[in-house]
Amino acid sequence: MPAKFIKVLWILTIALSLSGCKSQTLDSAIDVVKPTVLDELDGTVAIVLLEDQIVRFECVYAREDCIPDVDIKDYALLDWPYHLGPVLYYSPSSIYMILYTGNAATWESSIVHYNPQSREIKSIKLPGELKNLHLATAGGRLILVGDSHRNVYIVDDKLSITSVEVGSPIHKLLGANDHEVIALNQRPVEKDGEYLIEVYVIDILSGRFIEERLKLPGLELVNSQVAPQAGRKYLANVEGISRDLKYLYCLYFLGDEPGKIRLGTFDIKTSKEVASTQDPGLVRMTSGYAQYHEFLYTSYVGNGYGVGASLIDMSTVSSLLVDYYKELGSKGKLIIVPMGRFFLLNTTDYIIRLSQSGAILDKYQIPEDWVLSLI
């Protein structure tokens, strides 16, 4: 497909969706974003694209029995042209779509809810300040928060919104189970001489939450008045937390090697380092990670955007992409989509199903007619 480009492409995994994901907006000719789903069930895979103002669904394995296309022109609540953001499938009667203008000066976004069974469509505009969304789904609801905001919004399939204000800015949202999400403040706070990580476990049915302040394990913060000391570990950034709140995932450095950033897993209770790596292919100092279960990952959409794809098992802090690169030898575009007990890898030409041990289970070549030429 050398002369063609994907104009708007989402991989949509057809399974119950309970995960957290971080959306991306790209100022380039190709608009590709990272959806995430979470469930222990297997599912059908679909590609979702926006063509004119019609959202089209193309199923990978069962094209004749796919989700009906839907015209959202009268429901977008945004001036055309707008862009298709995250698309999250929760059940055969519930699909959430995020739309956005993509104009930084007049940023607007909306949610469209689509019931493929009844063909019912509803939509609602989002508050104007939500420019960089963190998303999760649980219990049939869409949960979202703007980066560094305190208000977490819970949206049901009727598009009623419950706002939950937590006590600190949120930088990451993670699905914990079918009725709870975890909201994480990545910046430690100081109290009584200790540095603490603030975590909020939110019940999406009641809107109530529990605040946990967890001691920063085995790491110190850099002090402008005192140089880093040899033999000590210093926090660069908190990147995630396990769903049971037992382990913290951090970028850090040693006091005698300040230029060498490491990615590590730390036991919060014992303050011990469980595992770490300095592999430059896994350390992402500037771009950050999305999280799924106890995995951190980054996608690479090509065109020079980002620093490469990675998929990391945080129990061992090791890559799950070894077999992928060994078999395909590709360092180009790679979009990672969690799906139940598997991961989907979307390259320019293939959709690949990867196990949580990193084994390639199967791959599907994207048909030529699914790739759209740019207008």
Side-chain angles (χ1 to χ4, degrees):
M1 307 179 193
K4 296 188 176 182
F5 297 93
I6 297 170
K7 186 175 183 183
V8 178
L9 172 64
W10 271 85
I11 297 178
L12 175 67
T13 54
I14 310 306
L16 294 179
S17 172
L18 300 173
S19 81
C21 68
K22 182 176 180 180
S23 66
Q24 290 185 356
T25 302
L26 308 182
D27 297 321
S28 67
I30 302 178
D31 294 323
V32 185
V33 279
K34 301 184 304 193
T36 333
V37 295
L38 167 61
D39 187 62
E40 298 309 322
L41 303 175
D42 300 341
T44 301
V45 178
I47 290 176
V48 187
L49 54 89
L50 178 65
E51 187 176 33
D52 295 325
Q53 299 190 63
I54 296 175
V55 178
R56 302 195 182 281
F57 299 86
E58 297 279 4
C59 289
V60 169
Y61 299 108
R63 299 183 68 182
E64 70 285 351
D65 190 30
C66 201
I67 301 166
D69 296 346
V70 56
D71 188 339
I72 60 172
K73 178 176 62 177
D74 296 329
Y75 300 92
L77 307 180
L78 305 173
D79 292 334
W80 180 258
Y82 49 80
H83 303 277
L84 179 66
V87 179
L88 298 107
Y89 180 109
Y90 193 83
S91 75
S93 61
S94 184
I95 295 176
Y96 295 95
M97 310 176 202
I98 308 292
L99 305 174
Y100 63 93
T101 60
N103 187 332
T106 59
W107 180 276
E108 292 183 302
S109 55
S110 64
I111 298 175
V112 174
H113 183 270
Y114 175 41
N115 182 335
Q117 294 180 334
S118 68
R119 304 296 180 93
E120 183 183 27
I121 309 171
K122 296 185 179 73
S123 59
I124 190 171
K125 218 162 191 180
L126 288 172
E129 72 274 9
L130 298 179
K131 291 186 178 181
N132 185 14
L133 293 176
H134 300 279
L135 305 174
T137 59
R141 291 162 171 79
L142 175 65
I143 302 94
L144 52 90
V145 61
D147 188 52
S148 299
H149 289 212
R150 297 171 186 263
N151 286 321
V152 178
Y153 297 97
I154 302 169
V155 185
D156 65 20
D157 59 4
K158 305 299 182 186
L159 296 190
S160 296
I161 298 181
T162 300
S163 177
V164 178
E165 184 176 359
V166 297
S168 60
I170 298 303
H171 309 98
K172 184 154 292 196
L173 206 56
L174 173 66
N177 50 53
D178 63 356
H179 68 280
E180 292 178 324
V181 294
I182 296 169
L184 173 66
N185 177 11
Q186 292 177 293
R187 296 167 186 161
V189 297
E190 185 178 7
K191 184 178 180 181
D192 299 330
E194 287 189 329
Y195 288 102
L196 307 173
I197 301 298
E198 296 174 314
V199 180
Y200 302 88
V201 181
I202 303 171
D203 187 309
I204 55 93
L205 302 179
S206 67
R208 293 189 291 268
F209 63 86
I210 298 172
E211 179 181 2
E212 299 278 358
R213 290 192 165 192
L214 308 172
K215 183 179 177 181
L216 182 65
L219 296 165
E220 300 180 43
L221 266 62
V222 176
N223 188 326
S224 60
Q225 298 176 350
V226 180
Q229 303 295 306
R232 298 184 180 182
K233 298 174 182 178
Y234 294 86
L235 177 70
N237 199 47
V238 174
E239 295 295 341
I241 192 167
S242 63
R243 291 172 296 160
D244 59 10
L245 306 186
K246 291 183 178 180
Y247 301 98
L248 199 66
Y249 311 139
C250 301
L251 291 171
Y252 73 99
F253 62 90
L254 302 180
D256 50 346
E257 295 180 320
K260 297 181 179 180
I261 303 297
R262 303 165 182 249
L263 175 65
T265 294
F266 291 83
D267 187 310
I268 294 173
K269 184 176 181 179
T270 66
S271 291
K272 300 292 186 181
E273 179 182 307
V274 176
S276 66
T277 183
Q278 285 183 270
D279 185 341
L282 303 183
V283 174
R284 298 286 181 261
M285 186 61 194
T286 57
S287 61
Y289 303 85
Q291 182 176 343
Y292 173 80
H293 286 196
E294 276 54 73
F295 300 88
L296 296 182
Y297 66 95
T298 58
S299 291
Y300 177 62
V301 300
N303 281 0
Y305 183 91
V307 290
S310 62
L311 177 55
I312 308 160
D313 181 348
M314 291 307 294
S315 65
T316 59
V317 194
S318 59
S319 174
L320 270 68
L321 297 180
V322 174
D323 287 352
Y324 165 76
Y325 284 124
K326 187 182 299 183
E327 181 168 326
L328 275 77
S330 172
K331 298 290 185 179
K333 188 193 89 169
L334 181 60
I335 311 299
I336 298 174
V337 184
M339 173 185 153
R341 295 178 290 112
F342 310 104
F343 293 93
L344 298 179
L345 311 181
N346 171 215
T347 71
T348 302
D349 303 304
Y350 292 97
I351 294 174
I352 298 164
R353 190 163 61 105
L354 195 75
S355 75
Q356 289 192 5
S357 65
I360 295 176
L361 302 176
D362 51 52
K363 62 182 180 180
Y364 182 86
Q365 186 160 10
I366 300 174
E368 183 83 19
D369 61 328
W370 290 12
V371 181
L372 304 180
S373 295
L374 284 173
I375 298 174

